[in-house]
Amino acid sequence: MHRGSHSTGLLFHRFGAWLYRQRWAVIVAWVLLVAVATFGAARAPDVLRGSAAGIPNSSSAKAQEWLRTEFKSPYQFPFIVTLAAPGHSVEDRDYRTMLAELQRLLAAKPFVTRTVSWLDNQDPRFKSADGVRTFLVVGIDAENFLAAEQRVPVVRTEAAAVVARWRSRLPSLESHVTGQIPIGYDATRMIAQDTTTAERRILPVALLFLLFAFGAVAAAGIPVLLGALASVVTLGLLYVVGQGMNLSSMAQNITAMVGLGIGIDYALIMVTRFREALATHAEADNPVEAAVAETMGTSGVAVLFSGLTVMIGFLALFIPDLIDTTSLGMAGSLTVLSAVSLSLTLVPALLGILGPRIDWPSGFSRWVSQRLDHQAMWLRWARHVMRHPLRFLVGGSALMILLSLPSFTVEFGQFSSKFLPTYMDAGQGLRSMEAMGQAGEVYPIQFLLRRTDGRPITDARSLKAIATVVREFRQEPVLEEVRSIVPYAGRLMLMSQMFFGGDTRAVRDRFPDAVSLLLSEDASGTLVQLVPRNDAAYADIKDFVRRLKDRDWSQVAGFEGFEVAIGGPAAVNNDFERAILSNFGKVVSLVFAVTFVLLAWSFQSLVLPLKALAMNTLSTAASFGALVLVFQHGYGSWLVGYPDPPGNILVPIPIIVFCLVFGLSMDYEVFLLSRIQEEYMKHGDNERAVATGLAATGGIITNAALIMLLVFGAFIAASVVLTKMLGFGLSVAIVLDALIIRIMLVPSFMALLGKWNWWPNMLPEPVTAPESPEPVGAGSP
């Protein structure tokens, strides 16, 4: 055994003995910490947000800032209140009176900047073809997205109260509140609900599964307890972190998924090794202390290295510097830190207190162990694979590559009604807008331009240039409507000359509804609002926005002194996609490099890290390919609750799946290789070490994989599609990892390479165990 890992094992052995002596103090400390964390965990959803907050240093972020500071747009955070009353026309007296009452009440709210509806100017876009549907746009005054989200329940309550009062005269009347902010608000609440529901499903089933796997109540209870505590502690930490940084609502999902998954897995490994060590040290003066020390010196080291490899993937999510990825990186890193800390302190303390009682009830435990001889079964399988290594290596690799192929057909998209549950209020509102042919009002494109010299943009040359571009926009097949100051240009210039001495700013203030929405406060900038067609494909909208952003506007006649910014949801999504994809190579490189160094140091081999990287890359690519096959192409989508699949993949999915799958797959890699290395250092026989290591860990890894599958599979039933996609992708990865990678590809690869697995330390001196209970390995599960 190389000096670094051996010294780490000895250090952890001594740490385990110390933990045994301080076991009650450790438990009291954790009780106090968990009590404090529970207080923060209950309030964690209050600091999470669901709305996009812009991409730093992007064109869309610049557009958003212009609207806030220079236009002071009353509709920077617009809510859309949809109304439908089948059998009644919006022109009916009762319908009009109800709409007027709702508009008046909302306009009176101190946080409402402006409202507009069909009553203001009978604009036909505010009325459906059959006349039974309409909508009301409500501008919200808020400092940021999170503050705007807090207004959603207030607007809904007011709308619901008006509907209730008019239900006797308009019995079919219904209302919904939609828009970017309400959709984000609903998604946050549904994510919290999905997480709670998944936890309620997972914990009892996991306890029952472990009960039959261990044959002991205490042994089964510790992993479940640890998984739950890892989630609680992390949510408490996120509440603290959320006071100083923006966090996405998806952080809660990642915390539950990873906390329950690896928390249970790590404790499972520790408990399993402790039970083995108890039998080994039965004749020692203090067998419990010796067993705790050995467990820490072997499985404790494996848990530490595994946690480090998993954390690498999460830390890489900080690279794109986006709120969504940073939030997931923060949540994942804190969750792994919590799970490892609990595993290396609380679990040994609990094991020290329980001692032999870990096998209670002993009769049931013996009955289970007699009927489940895992090691003999796995030993037979390992020898079978290693007799035909090439066959298993080629067959397993071919299957993984085949599953990876759909990855090359991926198409990215944004939220549409297909992504939203039918019972989600904002989703119902969006479907109502689609029924009216006005879904584009929810996702407008903002084309902003301003003069760099600060002079009014309403001179003849500027207006002529804007008019030329507006005519060009009207020819775009993806656009339903183009709104600009061009229709007001003649009157604007005439009125400014005749009544305001040429001061365009004064005209803006005098006629706010006609001009202020499209003209900045100093009149040096203007907004051209582009409304996509209701039936326009998102790919076409995205392509149009990309062309706007990439165009060199300084080459357009009249635009020489203009600065341009493109905003709106499609622009944000484009910028987000560009930021994700442009940083994907950096993320992969960092994960590969740091993982390689960590594994090379841990196993004193340059071959095993390369093998691990190749295997995990296959696992990640195959799981993403399966995700594309189901959610984009629709094969088997009904099995995951999507008979009508979205048809594309949400932009953050690839980088999140890569980081999570890579880290979690490396988790099992470390456990397996640790035990193989421990065996190899005893006798220097590679084939025997691989077979024995797989036999010793096969049952544990399978049980751990089943627990992970249970955890991630529960999230496939989530309401929010991003959660559902992650749950599916991770579930597939775990299945492939357990059934193909660990039991086929790894042993066949190591059998083919033989002693070259351990290059450049190919033939280390065999290490024999000392008479004392001191451990000799780098650690094993």
Side-chain angles (χ1 to χ4, degrees), residues 242-253:
Q243 307 303 314
M245 68 175 288
N246 289 323
L247 291 173
S248 165
S249 55
M250 279 303 298
Q252 192 168 359
N253 273 158

Side-chain angles (χ1 to χ4, degrees), residues 278-533:
L278 271 179
T280 302
H281 298 285
E283 303 301 323
D285 292 339
N286 190 335
V288 177
E289 180 178 356
V292 170
E294 180 181 322
T295 299
M296 285 294 292
T298 53
S299 291
V301 177
V303 166
L304 175 65
F305 280 110
S306 172
L308 289 174
T309 58
V310 175
M311 193 174 288
I312 290 169
F314 285 114
L315 292 176
L317 288 171
F318 283 84
I319 290 178
D321 193 26
L322 303 172
I323 287 178
D324 296 273
T325 55
T326 300
S327 299
L328 299 185
M330 178 65 72
S333 301
L334 291 177
T335 305
V336 175
L337 180 63
S338 300
V340 170
S341 300
L342 285 160
S343 299
L344 298 183
T345 54
L346 180 61
V347 170
L350 290 172
L351 294 175
I353 290 172
L354 287 171
R357 290 187 295 274
I358 193 72
D359 286 326
W360 182 85
S362 56
F364 183 49
S365 177
R366 286 194 298 272
W367 180 83
V368 169
S369 62
Q370 289 169 1
R371 282 158 178 78
L372 298 175
D373 188 1
H374 288 141
Q375 289 212 13
M377 179 187 69
W378 285 109
L379 187 60
R380 288 192 297 272
W381 172 259
R383 288 171 176 167
H384 175 66
V385 172
M386 298 182 75
R387 282 195 297 269
H388 312 282
L390 192 59
R391 179 191 307 172
F392 281 98
L393 183 64
V394 172
S397 300
L399 178 60
M400 300 293 281
I401 292 172
L402 186 65
L403 275 174
S404 304
L405 293 179
S407 301
F408 296 100
T409 66
V410 64
E411 293 182 7
F412 297 113
Q414 71 172 7
F415 271 111
S416 67
S417 60
K418 283 188 176 182
F419 285 105
L420 307 177
T422 55
Y423 51 86
M424 179 179 180
D425 186 74
Q428 294 183 60
L430 180 55
R431 277 181 280 275
S432 183
M433 293 295 287
E434 289 174 345
M436 292 180 64
Q438 297 297 331
E441 296 289 346
V442 182
Y443 300 113
I445 301 164
Q446 295 152 345
F447 179 79
L448 292 103
L449 55 158
R450 67 177 178 182
R451 293 184 62 140
T452 54
D453 57 9
R455 298 178 60 190
I457 203 167
T458 51
D459 61 69
R461 178 173 171 78
S462 297
L463 288 173
K464 181 180 179 181
I466 296 169
T468 301
V469 172
V470 166
R471 283 195 298 272
E472 181 182 323
F473 288 158
R474 293 189 189 281
Q475 304 303 313
E476 287 289 342
V478 299
L479 298 181
E480 178 72 30
E481 189 175 357
V482 179
R483 299 171 191 149
S484 71
I485 61 170
V486 171
Y488 310 104
R491 286 173 289 171
L492 184 63
M493 295 180 68
L494 179 63
M495 293 174 67
S496 65
Q497 292 296 331
M498 292 181 62
F499 302 108
F500 298 97
D503 187 357
T504 309
R505 301 171 183 80
V507 181
R508 180 190 186 280
D509 296 334
R510 177 66 178 82
F511 300 97
D513 291 332
V515 180
S516 64
L517 298 181
L518 303 174
L519 201 62
S520 65
E521 287 204 317
D522 64 358
S524 68
T526 187
L527 163 67
V528 180
Q529 191 169 53
L530 312 172
V531 181
R533 292 178 59 86

Side-chain angles (χ1 to χ4, degrees), residues 305 308-309 312-313 588-614 616 662 666 669-670 673 757 759-760:
F305 280 110
L308 289 174
T309 58
I312 290 169
V588 172
S589 299
L590 176 68
V591 171
F592 275 26
V594 178
T595 301
F596 179 85
V597 171
L598 184 63
L599 292 181
W601 181 84
S602 176
F603 298 113
Q604 289 292 283
S605 166
L606 299 181
V607 176
L608 290 179
L610 290 175
K611 185 269 303 176
L613 293 176
N616 283 26
F662 203 91
M666 197 62 74
E669 183 82 15
V670 170
L673 292 182
N757 286 302
W759 183 84

Side-chain angles (χ1 to χ4, degrees), residues 600-728:
W601 181 84
S602 176
F603 298 113
Q604 289 292 283
S605 166
L606 299 181
V607 176
L608 290 179
L610 290 175
K611 185 269 303 176
L613 293 176
M615 299 294 178
N616 283 26
T617 300
L618 276 178
S619 178
T620 304
S623 62
F624 185 67
L627 192 148
V628 171
L629 200 64
V630 172
F631 285 90
Q632 180 176 312
H633 298 296
Y635 293 99
S637 60
W638 59 274
L639 291 172
V640 296
Y642 264 103
D644 183 19
N648 49 50
I649 304 298
L650 294 175
V651 177
I653 286 292
I655 195 169
I656 297 173
V657 167
F658 169 79
C659 291
L660 266 67
V661 170
F662 203 91
L664 295 174
S665 297
M666 197 62 74
D667 189 17
Y668 297 144
E669 183 82 15
V670 170
F671 290 148
L672 176 57
L673 292 182
S674 293
R675 191 59 178 255
I676 292 175
Q677 186 192 48
E678 183 180 342
E679 295 297 327
Y680 183 68
M681 291 301 171
K682 291 178 182 177
H683 43 67
D685 185 334
N686 177 77
E687 185 171 340
R688 178 182 169 189
V690 174
T692 306
L694 182 58
T697 61
I700 302 173
I701 289 177
T702 300
N703 288 336
L706 287 171
I707 290 293
M708 284 277 199
L709 182 61
L710 173 66
V711 171
F712 298 145
F715 285 92
I716 296 177
S719 304
V720 179
V721 70
L722 184 60
T723 306
K724 189 183 288 286
M725 285 183 175
L726 287 178
F728 177 81

Side-chain angles (χ1 to χ4, degrees), residues 251-265:
Q252 192 168 359
N253 273 158
I254 293 299
T255 298
M257 284 183 181
V258 178
L260 291 173
I262 69 171
I264 292 175
D265 273 8

